[in-house]
Amino acid sequence: MGEENDFGQARKILRALLDLGQALLEYGGEVNRVEDTLERMGRAYGAKGMNVFVITTSMVVTMLHKDGEEITLTRRIRKPIGNDFTKLEQLNALSRKCCQEPMKVAKLQEKIQEIKNQPYSFKKYLIGAMLSAGSFSVFFGGSLLDGLFSMLFAIFICLLQRYVQKYCTNMAVFQLFCSFVIGIGISVVTKCVPFLHLDYIMIGDIMLLIPGLAMTNSVRDILVGDTISGFLRLAESLLWAGALACGFMTAIWLSFSL
Amino acid sequence: MIQLLSVFIGCIGFGMLFHLQSRHYLRAALGGVCTYLVYMICSIYIKNGFIPVFLASASGALYAEVLARIQRAPTTLYLIIAVISLVPGSSLFYTMSAFVREDWDFVYSYGVETTIFAVAIALGMSLVWAIFGTFGKVKKEI
């Protein structure tokens, strides 16, 4: 009886750990961090051995429990990489705390859910996008007016990301669509208003759409030794960047030839 | 000066975009400004496309790594924002516009510039990680 209980316990622990790992991945953590965290957490919860394999789209974890029972759980991850550093940091702090003194599994689950359910502030995202697009178009040599228009288009990008992205089959298609629409918009506006510079406005908005986080994380993963997941994500982010370039190029080509 | 100011604001903007906790904004954005300063100063003295970016990116990664250790937060938080000012958004754009105009000389020169920037950023960061990683291992042995 006791043994069976323990077995159930191990499974519960592993399930909670997978939840944690999935959340870390989805909020923008590197693969290496996820593997490392799961390994430490498992040992903190009394596992004798942990076999953790994580790539950007799936996780496989085998845990050797202290009573000799071995269990494996896998998890497929379909959500594209997001970025929410607040949640990432909180999850990280939670796992650090847990490694020092493990809390009850039910409580861990609860805490993870609590962090996940925090409201996502779209307003903050919007303001951030406007500020960065505007200031980067000024940074690369545009006038203040260019920055202002770049901000306007940043709002547009955010709205597209919020309302249109879920209808696109994947991120590359969305990048293509988004950059094309934004490119056309910018070309039209710069044709109508003579003081504006097409290039600087576009550069500001390109900076927003470049998958910088994915690229940095992938390079990091490759160097740390997670070559498979690093290259997966690198390929993915290069594809997104290519789609972005194609979208803008088509828009520029149209605006030149009209 | 305008550039430094706009980098600062832009970095804070990216901080908000990534939902960084507000107590980190200033620290992260300062990292961005420092990285760019290093780039500017180096590019005055070193006439080379690669080295300034490399040094700037390494210094940004160093800043992020040290700060993350002190704050006990993931390095990514600071790293992304520190190196964002080096991302070659403009040369990517000029590559594309030259491509559309079928101006192959420009495509070549801007394309090479974009690639060099990207590679230099990656290598600069890796240098710092390699050093930190080795130190961590050595420390464990002792």
Side-chain angles (χ1 to χ4, degrees):
Chain A
M1 190 67 193
E3 211 171 71
E4 205 183 323
N5 250 342
D6 240 27
F7 183 61
Q9 184 67 14
R11 183 162 297 231
K12 264 187 207 147
I13 294 172
L14 198 50
R15 205 170 286 151
L17 291 189
L18 279 177
D19 281 344
L20 180 74
Q22 184 176 11
L24 277 174
L25 263 186
E26 282 172 1
Y27 295 136
E30 325 92 271
V31 168
N32 184 255
R33 171 177 302 283
V34 178
E35 283 190 343
D36 195 47
T37 306
L38 290 186
E39 175 113 28
R40 278 164 200 253
M41 291 279 282
R43 287 186 187 280
Y45 273 105
K48 270 202 278 183
M50 288 290 280
N51 266 294
V52 187
F53 176 71
V54 179
I55 53 174
T56 52
T57 48
S58 96
M59 298 194 287
V60 182
V61 184
T62 298
M63 185 164 104
L64 176 61
H65 202 54
K66 45 192 171 204
D67 55 5
E69 203 60 75
E70 240 177 346
I71 42 173
T72 305
L73 289 183
T74 67
R75 181 79 54 96
R76 173 83 163 97
I77 295 153
R78 291 184 185 280
K79 244 171 99 181
I81 181 181
N83 39 50
D84 193 322
F85 284 177
T86 300
K87 287 178 185 169
L88 184 65
E89 201 192 335
Q90 284 170 345
L91 285 170
N92 192 51
L94 178 70
S95 73
R96 259 174 197 275
K97 218 172 85 192
C98 241
C99 285
Q100 275 165 3
E101 41 181 320
M103 55 177 80
K104 285 229 169 68
V105 181
K107 201 173 167 212
L108 176 66
Q109 281 277 20
E110 206 177 283
K111 287 245 172 183
I112 294 171
Q113 272 308 321
E114 203 177 288
I115 292 173
K116 271 168 129 180
N117 289 342
Q118 274 171 9
Y120 184 82
S121 152
F122 182 63
K123 207 162 81 186
K124 205 168 155 191
Y125 184 79
L126 193 66
I127 296 173
M130 283 167 65
L131 276 182
S132 27
S135 51
F136 273 108
S137 80
V138 173
F139 170 70
F140 283 114
S143 64
L144 280 179
L145 202 63
D146 292 333
L148 204 69
F149 270 89
S150 185
M151 277 186 179
L152 285 180
F153 281 102
I155 299 177
F156 203 43
I157 291 178
C158 285
L159 291 178
L160 283 177
Q161 277 171 342
R162 189 173 164 89
Y163 296 109
V164 181
Q165 191 169 7
K166 53 187 169 212
Y167 298 111
C168 291
T169 43
N170 61 36
M171 190 64 183
V173 174
F174 172 73
Q175 286 274 39
L176 186 68
F177 171 75
C178 182
S179 51
F180 177 69
V181 172
I182 296 291
I184 291 285
I186 293 173
S187 318
V188 170
V189 168
T190 43
K191 284 244 152 93
C192 302
V193 188
F195 321 104
L196 291 175
H197 304 93
L198 175 97
D199 38 357
Y200 299 129
I201 299 178
M202 249 185 213
I203 290 167
D205 290 323
I206 286 175
M207 290 295 279
L208 270 190
L209 288 168
I210 286 182
L213 179 65
M215 278 190 191
T216 342
N217 275 351
S218 67
V219 173
R220 203 182 166 121
D221 280 330
I222 292 171
L223 279 155
V224 179
D226 282 319
T227 328
I228 300 177
S229 35
F231 273 108
L232 272 181
R233 183 148 289 172
L234 187 65
E236 216 172 39
S237 56
L238 285 179
L239 189 69
W240 298 342
L244 170 100
C246 287
F248 273 115
M249 262 184 344
T250 322
I252 300 169
W253 176 71
L254 276 178
S255 80
F256 278 174
S257 51
L258 286 180
Chain B
M1 200 58 221
I2 289 174
Q3 283 201 313
L4 286 180
L5 193 68
S6 59
V7 165
F8 184 72
I9 298 172
C11 286
I12 288 186
F14 267 100
M16 293 176 86
L17 198 72
F18 287 134
H19 271 245
L20 200 61
Q21 277 183 15
S22 41
R23 64 192 171 92
H24 292 313
Y25 283 164
L26 203 63
R27 284 190 281 262
L30 274 181
V33 173
C34 289
T35 309
Y36 188 66
L37 257 180
V38 171
Y39 170 69
M40 265 193 350
I41 293 167
C42 289
S43 56
I44 294 170
Y45 292 108
I46 306 168
K47 292 275 164 263
N48 181 314
F50 181 80
I51 308 273
V53 188
F54 176 77
L55 289 176
S57 145
S59 67
L62 187 68
Y63 179 88
E65 200 76 45
V66 170
L67 207 55
R69 300 271 147 131
I70 295 169
Q71 299 284 329
R72 296 186 160 273
T75 319
T76 328
L77 256 59
Y78 302 109
L79 181 70
I80 300 288
I81 292 167
V83 297
I84 205 99
S85 58
L86 299 175
V87 171
S90 68
S91 47
L92 179 65
F93 172 81
Y94 290 118
T95 314
M96 293 190 303
S97 81
F99 196 89
V100 171
R101 279 185 276 117
E102 294 181 26
D103 192 341
W104 303 116
D105 290 345
F106 268 105
V107 172
Y108 178 74
S109 60
Y110 279 118
V112 166
E113 194 184 304
T114 311
T115 319
I116 283 180
F117 260 71
V119 172
I121 293 174
L123 284 182
M125 293 190 297
S126 0
L127 177 75
V128 173
W129 294 332
I131 293 171
F132 266 78
T134 318
F135 265 123
K137 286 243 167 73
V138 170
K139 227 166 139 189
K140 245 186 221 165
E141 293 278 308
I142 298 166

